[in-house]
Amino acid sequence: MMESVPLTLRGIAKRYGTAHALKPTSLDIEAGEMLALLGPSGCGKTTMLRIIAGFTAPDTGQVLIGNIDVTDLAPNRRGLGMVFQSYSLFPHMTVGENIAYGLKMRGINAAERAHKVRDMLDLVRLPGFEDRQVNHLSGGQQQRVALARSLVTDPKVLLLDEPLGALDRQLRENMQFELRAMQKRLGITTIIVTHDQEEALTVSDRIAVMQNGEIVQTGAPTEIYERPRNRFVSEFLGTVNIFDGDLVASHPDDCWSVRLALPGAPVVKVAGSQGLSVSKSVRVAVRPERLRLNGSNETFRACIRSSVFRGSYHAYELDIAGIGGPVYVHSNEPVEVGDDGMVGVAWPQGHAVMFGRDDGR
Amino acid sequence: MSDETCPGVAPEEPAAFRRERSFRLASVSWAMPALIFLLIFLVLPLLANIARSLPLEDPFQHYARLLGDAYYLGIVRQTIKVPALTAVACLIIGYPVAYFMVRHAGRWNALIVFLLIAPLLTSTIMRTFGWTVLLGRRGLVNAWMSDFGMIDKAVNMVNTEWAVYLGLVHVLSPFMVLSVSSVLQGIDRRLEESAQILGAGRLRVFLTITLPLSLDGIATGCILVFVLASGSFLSMLLLGGGKVTTLSLLIYQQFTLTQDIGFAAAMGNVLLLLSLICMAIQLRFLRRRGV
Ligand SMILES: Nc1ncnc2c1ncn2[C@@H]1O[C@H](COP(=O)(O)OP(=O)(O)OP(=O)(O)O)[C@@H](O)[C@H]1O
Ligand SMILES: [Mg+2]
């Protein structure tokens, strides 16, 4: 197997006309790391991947693979593997010929090709599929063949552009775990593009969240999920409740007391970030599964508007007098509601984050 | 092509099936006027032509003459050779044009398509005749060549085999370009990019991916050009000066000069058979691809 190599982007940028498809972006991906590029449609994920692959020349900046500058190298000389969303299997070749294509281009003899193809098909759990026609395969099988084709040449870096996008939910979840396991086993530096936050959280070591052609935050999945840097990131990674508030006091442990704009003006403790000062207006974000219903220490009261059983949890939609939108709470246990339809909501310690009023809008 | 719905008589078909069936019945009856038209003006004349080519006293005399006589056999051979060479020439000229159109022309694509189709709106006679003006002894090409001192004496360029091929390729190459480009258009660029990332250089990508995937268009274009060339006699008549005689030209001559209608009918049928063989080849091609 090949030694893992790091991938470095130094200030790469791309414009189409006057529109910035990718603003100057730098990113370091460690050897053997799996990084997810996560962002909404049109934020520049594919553009970044195509620049790394060499299909699109960046206006500025450099791409380094294993500390070698490959910015001016043609795609066929970069030693990468890539899987497109549509798999792009060669329709005029069998499964075996598809996988062997990259080996053939490297001048590897037929016997060794056959051997490696067999190994690869075992790896992606499609043994004996060599002579199948690719357009007779199911979506999941095509996906595996595409993966095998990109891995057989021992690429230095693997690029996956929404590789699971065309699969149904069940298969996608299985493939996420398989992909993750395979990547760890091979130790290959990998970038996976996705606009599905669950997928990003499941498969990657690190997530880079993109918005409007730039990376707004990178970090481990838990960090991105629990400590989003702005409102966009917090909302993109899942349902979140956002409250307005004012800073009232700072604490020595880097936390702040925040007075929430809720009935009763409760004051809660929230971990702080840089550049804050007393009486500054902030927004506080808290995940629905962190709020507790009917516990002790209730922070505010709310009226249950609706509740849905979602299998692994109960989802409640709460109305609070005086604030615009509903508040969402996910609870493992069903909640007893009083005659007045009101419940108490308890604020979680250490699970809320805050950011400035206009961050990430 | 693939007709999956079987005409089975399941008593409880789903509603969608039933609707589709009745729609089909209706569509067959709507096709009746066209079918009747074709029957009267195509099938019946063709049958009459076959009958005409088989005179009662000696039914196969015309065919025996056509395929037994060395002169006529040569013409049959010529009828295969000229269209075949024309198709190859059209392919060599047309493929790069189609490739450029699809891959590099961008928004000029529409203009190129227009330029390809526009000449088809003028009559073939006019376009072919144009070449006699250009290539004639006192034509533009001769005038230029003597102006540049390339020749001392006017060269005869009309009434040669070359002129015939020139005329045919000129008239028929748009068909090649259009059939190749329509197939090239449908090739997913990401297939080429996948090949590239797997280590193939530009030429290898073309030879292993683009070319094999455009075989359909090449086959369609070649067969189209072949059929059209084998059926045309204007280029041979106006530019060949008797140097190139194919069946269609001979039919024209038999009909207008010799008035040997039975023999002309026999030749027509041989020509028709040739075209039908081409069509059958093309159908096989399409079916193999599962289109
Ligand atoms: N070849 C191009 N010409 C002009 N604009 C382009 C081109 N390629 C991309 N863009 C623009 O650049 C922006 C980023 O596109 P990109 O394909 O990178 O988005 P993406 O994040 O991959 O989106 P998606 O999730 O929909 O695939 C988009 O606004 C797109 O319209
Ligand atoms: Mg994309």
Side-chain angles (χ1 to χ4, degrees):
Chain A
M1 196 192 306
M2 191 167 254
E3 195 87 354
S4 308
V5 297
L7 174 73
T8 308
L9 307 179
R10 275 201 204 132
I12 55 165
K14 181 73 193 172
R15 276 192 347 194
Y16 290 109
T18 55
H20 289 271
L22 191 64
K23 294 174 191 160
T25 300
S26 295
L27 188 61
D28 277 299
I29 301 157
E30 285 167 28
E33 186 181 30
M34 183 142 181
L35 178 111
L37 275 184
L38 177 67
S41 190
C43 69
K45 307 182 295 289
T46 299
T47 303
M48 186 187 283
L49 221 57
R50 292 180 63 85
I51 288 174
I52 297 170
F55 295 127
T56 303
D59 298 334
T60 60
Q62 286 131 18
V63 178
L64 287 85
I65 298 175
N67 299 319
I68 298 165
D69 188 342
V70 298
T71 316
D72 299 320
L73 221 54
N76 52 322
R77 302 179 169 276
R78 294 193 180 192
L80 304 173
M82 186 160 182
V83 176
F84 292 91
Q85 177 167 7
S86 53
Y87 315 139
S88 300
L89 297 178
F90 306 132
H92 56 303
M93 299 182 194
T94 62
V95 168
E97 287 166 347
N98 261 280
I99 298 174
Y101 187 88
L103 300 173
K104 216 168 167 179
M105 293 303 128
R106 282 164 178 72
I108 290 167
N109 67 45
E112 200 179 336
R113 286 207 300 266
H115 180 73
K116 287 203 169 188
V117 167
R118 195 161 350 107
D119 283 353
M120 264 302 145
L121 283 172
D122 284 344
L123 181 73
V124 297
R125 302 209 270 117
L126 290 175
F129 270 59
E130 281 94 339
D131 296 324
R132 300 276 191 109
Q133 223 56 51
V134 290
N135 41 14
H136 295 168
L137 299 179
S138 74
Q141 290 170 336
Q142 290 188 21
Q143 208 281 333
R144 286 156 203 252
V145 174
L147 202 60
R149 186 179 69 177
S150 66
L151 286 173
V152 76
T153 54
D154 279 333
K156 295 185 211 132
V157 175
L158 184 61
L159 305 174
L160 308 168
D161 193 353
E162 308 209 17
L164 309 179
L167 303 181
D168 63 54
R169 201 183 135 88
Q170 177 80 45
L171 193 55
R172 195 153 84 202
E173 284 177 4
N174 290 342
M175 282 304 295
Q176 284 168 4
F177 287 106
E178 268 185 46
L179 202 59
R180 173 83 179 147
M182 202 178 299
Q183 189 268 340
K184 279 285 148 269
R185 186 138 42 99
L186 300 175
I188 180 172
T189 313
T190 304
I191 299 183
I192 178 170
V193 163
T194 173
H195 57 237
D196 176 348
Q197 79 282 358
E198 266 180 51
E199 186 166 299
L201 293 170
T202 310
V203 300
S204 64
D205 298 310
R206 204 149 59 101
I207 298 177
V209 184
M210 293 186 69
Q211 182 190 17
N212 298 330
E214 59 188 336
I215 294 178
V216 287
Q217 188 173 1
T218 54
T222 48
E223 185 188 339
I224 296 270
Y225 186 78
E226 301 282 357
R227 300 247 160 286
R229 189 171 294 161
N230 66 24
R231 180 169 186 162
F232 169 79
V233 176
S234 70
E235 286 180 335
F236 199 76
L237 274 124
T239 315
V240 68
N241 298 300
I242 308 248
F243 303 103
D244 288 342
D246 296 300
L247 296 178
V248 289
S250 74
H251 298 275
D253 57 351
D254 223 18
C255 286
W256 290 76
S257 290
V258 183
R259 183 186 297 113
L260 298 178
L262 289 174
V267 173
V268 296
K269 237 174 118 178
V270 180
S273 53
Q274 263 98 52
L276 296 176
S277 57
V278 173
S279 86
K280 197 174 155 134
S281 295
V282 292
R283 285 210 159 93
V284 178
V286 62
R287 297 276 173 207
E289 66 272 22
R290 296 296 180 189
L291 292 173
R292 291 269 161 271
L293 295 181
N294 279 350
S296 47
N297 306 326
E298 76 175 41
T299 316
F300 56 89
R301 291 189 73 77
C303 169
I304 293 191
R305 190 198 283 176
S306 68
S307 75
V308 187
F309 179 54
R310 291 247 180 90
S312 52
Y313 61 89
H314 297 262
Y316 294 96
E317 196 179 322
L318 309 181
D319 260 339
I320 300 176
I323 74 161
V327 169
Y328 299 97
V329 179
H330 296 171
S331 166
N332 293 329
E333 308 292 330
V335 189
E336 310 268 320
V337 186
D339 293 340
D340 54 354
M342 301 290 281
V343 286
V345 182
W347 192 263
Q349 286 300 325
H351 288 295
V353 290
M354 63 181 165
F355 18 80
R357 280 274 163 99
D358 358 280
D359 285 356
R361 275 278 102 171
Chain B
M1 282 260 138
S2 66
D3 191 0
E4 298 285 30
T5 46
C6 57
V9 279
E12 284 180 0
E13 287 170 305
F17 265 75
R18 235 177 292 135
R19 216 180 307 127
E20 192 181 348
R21 249 274 281 277
S22 59
F23 173 78
R24 290 214 163 169
L25 274 176
S27 74
V28 169
S29 64
W30 291 340
M32 282 320 270
L35 287 177
I36 291 171
F37 182 88
L38 283 178
L39 188 71
I40 296 176
F41 292 102
L42 185 74
V43 179
L44 289 183
L46 283 177
L47 290 177
N49 212 32
I50 291 173
R52 217 174 286 131
S53 72
L54 302 168
L56 285 177
E57 58 273 25
D58 181 5
F60 296 106
Q61 66 178 73
H62 294 313
Y63 292 99
R65 175 141 68 110
L66 193 56
L67 301 176
D69 186 311
Y71 170 72
Y72 290 118
L73 205 58
I75 286 175
V76 172
R77 217 175 290 131
Q78 191 82 303
T79 308
I80 295 171
K81 187 188 115 187
V82 172
L85 283 181
T86 306
V88 171
C90 284
L91 179 64
I92 291 169
I93 292 172
Y95 198 100
V97 176
Y99 190 86
F100 175 82
M101 236 172 85
V102 173
R103 287 285 182 264
H104 302 289
R107 62 198 144 111
W108 299 104
N109 196 345
L111 181 69
I112 297 180
V113 172
F114 172 76
L115 291 177
L116 280 171
I117 292 178
L120 302 183
L121 301 177
T122 56
S123 119
T124 315
I125 301 184
M126 300 293 280
R127 275 180 293 154
T128 308
F129 213 74
W131 284 110
T132 64
V133 176
L134 285 177
L135 299 176
R137 218 167 261 286
R138 308 178 141 267
L140 206 56
V141 177
N142 265 316
W144 274 352
M145 291 216 290
S146 62
D147 280 355
F148 285 111
M150 287 158 73
I151 47 171
D152 313 324
K153 218 168 81 173
V155 187
N156 183 30
M157 281 177 285
V158 195
N159 299 340
T160 59
E161 220 175 325
W162 285 108
V164 172
Y165 284 111
L166 191 64
L168 283 172
V169 169
H170 169 223
V171 171
L172 299 177
S173 55
F175 295 101
M176 181 65 81
V177 175
L178 292 176
S179 32
V180 171
S181 69
S182 75
V183 170
L184 278 181
Q185 203 104 52
I187 297 179
D188 188 350
R189 296 275 345 230
R190 273 166 299 185
L191 292 177
E192 294 171 351
E193 289 177 348
S194 298
Q196 226 180 331
I197 225 148
L198 288 167
R202 279 174 184 281
L203 185 65
R204 301 287 284 281
V205 171
F206 178 77
L207 291 178
T208 57
I209 308 293
T210 318
L211 190 63
L213 288 177
S214 57
L215 277 182
D216 267 1
I218 293 175
T220 307
C222 285
I223 287 165
L224 197 60
V225 168
F226 184 94
V227 170
L228 290 171
S230 68
S232 92
F233 60 91
L234 277 170
S235 302
M236 292 78 167
L237 187 67
L238 297 177
L239 299 172
K243 297 250 175 22
V244 183
T245 308
T246 58
L247 275 180
S248 42
L249 181 60
L250 201 61
I251 294 171
Y252 170 78
Q253 288 167 349
Q254 291 292 325
F255 229 93
T256 53
L257 306 176
T258 337
Q259 299 261 319
D260 188 346
I261 292 176
F263 191 41
M267 288 191 286
N269 289 329
V270 171
L271 200 56
L272 183 67
L273 188 68
L274 211 59
S275 304
L276 287 178
I277 291 172
C278 287
M279 295 296 180
I281 293 173
Q282 174 168 27
L283 266 187
R284 274 197 75 118
F285 234 95
L286 289 180
R287 201 148 316 130
R288 190 171 58 81
R289 299 263 154 183
V291 176

